[in-house]
Structure formats: C-alpha cells, structure tokens
Amino acid sequence: MCGIVGYIGDGSAKEAILTGLKNLEYRGYDSAGIAIGKKDKILLRKESGELENLIAKTQKSDFDGTIGIGHTRWATHGSPIRENAHPHLSADGRVAIVHNGIIENYIELKHMLTEEHGIIFKSETDSEVIAQLIGIYYEGDLLEAVRAAVKCVRGAYAIGVMAADVSDTIIAVRKDAPLIAGIGEGCNYLASDIPAVLGHTRDIYVIENDEIVVITKDDIKIYDEDMTRVSRDIMHVEWDAAAAEKGGYEDFMKKEIFEQPRGVKETLERRLTEGDEIWLDGIELSKEEIENIDRIYIVACGTASYAGIQGVTLFEKFAGIPSESDIASEFRYRNPLVNERTLCVCISQSGETTDTLEALREAKRKGARILSICNVVGSSVARESDDVMFTWAGPEIAVASTKAYTTQLICLYLLALYMGRAKGTLPDAEYRSVLAELKQIPDKLTEVLKTEDQIKTLAEKFYIKEQVFYIGRGMDVGTAFEASLKLKEITYINSFAIAAGELKHGTIALVRNQTLFFVLATQDKLYEKMLSNIEEIKARKAYVVSVAKEGNTRVAKVSDETIYIPNCADDVAPILAVVPMQLLAYHIAKMLKRNIDKPRNLAKSVTVE
Ligand code: M6R
C-alpha cells in the first residue's frame, strides 16, 4: 500500500515525483517524503498526513534537481510520524532509499548494525536497515552495495536507491512487491504502480522478482540476481489516465458504482462468440483437463472473497465440481487438501494482496493449477498464475470495491458455464437460458441505478443507526456479506451479516424495537422461507427493508420498505441485488460526511500480511 516514484532526466525531479505520488494516493498512505540529489548532496523533505503537507514543504525553488526518489508510506513498523516516513538516509547521509514491503529480519540486522557499526537509527521502521546496510557496503560502487545489502535481508521489498555522489543513476530491486520502470523522453521513471507514470509515459517495463534495475536518464538496464542482463519487452499501457479520474462524479466510489453496466458488459460480451459460445480469452482448459479437476478452491480477501462464495454455488451447480471458498489469510495455515487435481481460483482486484498471493503460492507449491480473476494487468497475481481472466472493470480507485465485485461475479459465471458445457454436464437449454439472463444484466443494472433517489431517502432515515443487520438465504447470503462490508467500511456503522436460517440460533437475541434489518429476498425458491424470517423479526419489532424482485408483492406487505430489482432468474440476481446496497452504503456515508474514497484505517491494496 506504500507508493514509490523515482525520476532521472533533464526536467524537474520534484515535479515528476510529486505528480507520481499524487497519482498513487489511492493506494492509501499516512506520510510522504522526497529526496532530491543536488550538487553531491541529498536534500530531504518528509511530512506526515496529507500529501499537501509535503508539497508545502517543497515549494522553495532551490529544492529541486534532476534526480530523486519519493514515497508515500502506510505504517506497518512504527507509527505514522514524519521520522518514519521515507526516504531513509544512511548514517553518513550519502545514500537514500525508499522501500515497499516488510523486512522480516530487521531486528537482528538493526542489532548487528548498532553493535558492530555504531549506527544510530533515526526511525522505528524496518526499512531504515536497508539504507544503513547500503551505507555500510557503499565504497564507490552503488550497484554492488545494493546487491550486498539485499543479500542480507529477508522479506518482501521493492526498493529505490540513490546516492549523493552518483548524480546519473537510480538503482532499484524487487522481491515480492510491485515495481515498474517507465520509459520517458530524455528521462526515465521508477514506480511501484503504472498510474504513477501515466501522465508522462505509456511505455513501461514490469520488473520481476529478484531483478535489479539500473536507471539512467537515457537507459534502463534490467539484470537478474546473478547480474546477467535480462531482455524485457516494453509493455504499452492502453488505458487512459483520464479513466482514473472522477469523470464528473463527486467521488470515485460513486463513479465506479455507475460504471458497472459498462464494466459488466465488457467483461461478459467480449468473451461471447456470435453463436454464444464462451471464449476464455486465451485460457486453454480442455474437456480432459476439466474432467481431471476434482475440487476447486477459491481464495480471496474481503469483497473478492464474497464473490468467491457465489463462485462455489456456480461451480457446483453448472460444472458439477465440489468447490470451497476460503479466506486467503486462513487458507495456507490449514494445510489445505490441494494436489494436481485441484483448480485454485484466486480472485483479486489489485492483484497485489499479500494474503491472496501467498495462498496462490501455497496452492502452486502443492501442485494446483492457478486460475486467477484479476483487474490489474501486469500485477503479481496475474503474473504468477497459470491462467488469468481479467475483469475489464477499468481502474478501481475507491477503497470500497464495487465494479470489481460485479465483474468478478461475471467471470465466475462464465468460467462455471464454460466448464459445465465443456464437460457436457450442463444441458444446452440451461446454458443458453443462463447466458440470455446474463446478457440482460447490463441493462438491468442501469435500471437498478435508477433506484438511487429511493435509496437516498432511506439513507436519510437510517444514517443515525448504530447497528444494522443483513440477512439472506442461498445466493443472497454472499450478497448480505458484501452489503454489510460495504456499509461498515465507508460509514463506520456496526453491521452484521448472517444466513437467515442461522438467526434463531443466537443472533435473534439482539433484535428489539426498531432494530434495522436489510433482508435480501431475491431467490424465488427460498422466498417462502424468507417471508417466515421476516415475520420472525417483525414479531420482535424489527424495522425491515427488503430487496426483492419486481412482481413479488408479498414481501412488500410484510416489510416496512421494499427495494425492487428487475425480474430475473435466481441464478443471476446477486449481480443486481448488491447494487442498491452499494448505493445505500454510499449515501449513508455521504450523510455522515465520511471520507468515502479513503475510509479511515483502510488502503486500496493490502500488501502486508
Ligand atoms: O485487491 P483485492 O481484490 O485482492 O483486495 C481484497 C480486499 O482487500 C478488498 O476487496 C477489500 O475488502 C475492499 N476494501 C472491500 O471493499
């Protein structure tokens, strides 16, 4: 979740780095800093809080040069104070570094540096040991010093390094944390993420694990860990920087909610042939390979894991393969029964979530085939998977995931239908009818978005609530979990989701006069059961807002309020039902004047365990 930017060239390093850091704000940060090389010195500015604080500190025109590195930090080791912000300097001030990731053996390194070299540390961070190690090893060859230092560290890192007396080179190295180099004109860039450089260039090199990069203003050289030169294709980034801006909406979250009809349409229709066969965009999954799969594990975190819950139903129903969804942070610690016949489906918007990546690696070690559903081309998840199905949602900037979720669902439907069809277990009529339903989803999503005024009125009523419950059955359970997460992460209201059948096994004890319940009641086959659940909580004086399909008037009779979604098959209802819940969370957060795109304590991409 930290961001790195580096610049070397004929222009203003300060300008390029600050723009880059601004473009990375979506990653989340709590302090920022910049180091500029000038006349054999390193000029350093760091500030905690908003990037504006740092910008204010860099205004003087003598604070600039043609080489520099910058960083936005999200605290892991050490509090979010200025001293802990990057860049960190070596004790003699000759070397500056920025670092993303975690150095696992930093305590022993710190001890060694203090005891044997008399180093006095200036921060509480793990990252400072890297600056100090390079400082110790630096005897005129910066590249060798960086190599020697990284040999000492264990953990995950993307590191950018400069030295006071080296005015023409930035060195960077990567292990398990994202890093790219951008190719400019008369200059070159270093960054943790592509958006940081998009304002300047669309041509980039993706740096791989254990590679070291030597960047000068005219050249970018990539080496493997043995210093063998690596040739790398230039990746030309097609997506538009403007696509990452708010496009007239007040917040990225709102923009992204309203982008769902388009994102879903792209993700779906670009994978359908004229005859409505599913084309998996380069993924080779033969009938034999599918028949060989005896279990599917879906691993993901947060919202992506709720898409995973829906995936279980889809894989079991359409492909007839026993499936399980697991939270990525738990998966690898429970010795999962994974082998060569397992398909591991990893779902991640960012493709950089450490827990998901580690689960992926664990499944891979055990022989599983890894098929990922991911929104970011060139991300670690995408690169480490055997196959990738990209969600064509476009960049998702708001911390609260919306369009990534609905497009992840579309990928899961397509994959499950494809597998069932290839195996021959899914009857043609069923396949065609589900596809027909899916093809109507983009238009129906547009209809759902028209309920915004009704939702806003509800938000005005409920924003003072301290506690909210979400219940559902069947595929509505996953929607209830996702709706509840949306509410809590952007409004900070305590919300709780539970399978409706579980209520009477304990949670119903919490129901009293005016307790607010959102009841997801979109599954026709479970409709009667949901009506009974509503009666149960109404009998205890709960206030019930139901989400149901148009035409289901009985639910309106027993509920206090009803939000209708367009009529559709039960199987596809989750894609529609979640949207009013996203809007509700959004409008409640708006009433409460929350920082919607960047809720407290959260970051867009969670690159620590
Ligand atoms: O980038 P990923 O999809 O791997 O991220 C997983 C979760 O961190 C993410 O979905 C998180 O739960 C969102 N803030 C939810 O809105």
Side-chain angles (χ1 to χ4, degrees), residues 301-304 347-351 353 356 399-401 408 485-486 489 604 606:
C301 301
T303 288
I347 311 178
S348 174
Q349 186 284 130
S350 61
T353 302
T356 306
V399 165
S401 187
Q408 284 160 358
L485 179 68
K486 240 26 358 131
E489 70 182 327
K604 183 63 185 162
V606 186

Side-chain angles (χ1 to χ4, degrees), residues 404-446:
Y405 176 73
T406 43
T407 53
Q408 284 160 358
L409 289 181
I410 294 295
C411 287
L412 289 162
Y413 282 93
L414 287 172
L415 195 56
L417 289 172
Y418 178 90
M419 291 169 91
R421 188 151 176 83
K423 274 174 74 181
T425 49
L426 178 65
D428 186 63
E430 190 179 350
Y431 170 82
R432 300 226 167 258
S433 115
V434 180
L435 261 193
E437 287 281 339
L438 284 173
K439 285 164 80 176
Q440 291 173 31
I441 290 290
D443 288 342
K444 289 185 179 175
L445 281 171
T446 306

Side-chain angles (χ1 to χ4, degrees), residues 125-142:
T125 65
D126 53 333
S127 307
E128 192 184 342
V129 299
I130 305 167
Q132 302 300 1
L133 281 170
I134 299 174
I136 300 287
Y137 289 119
Y138 184 39
E139 287 171 353
D141 187 338
L142 187 59

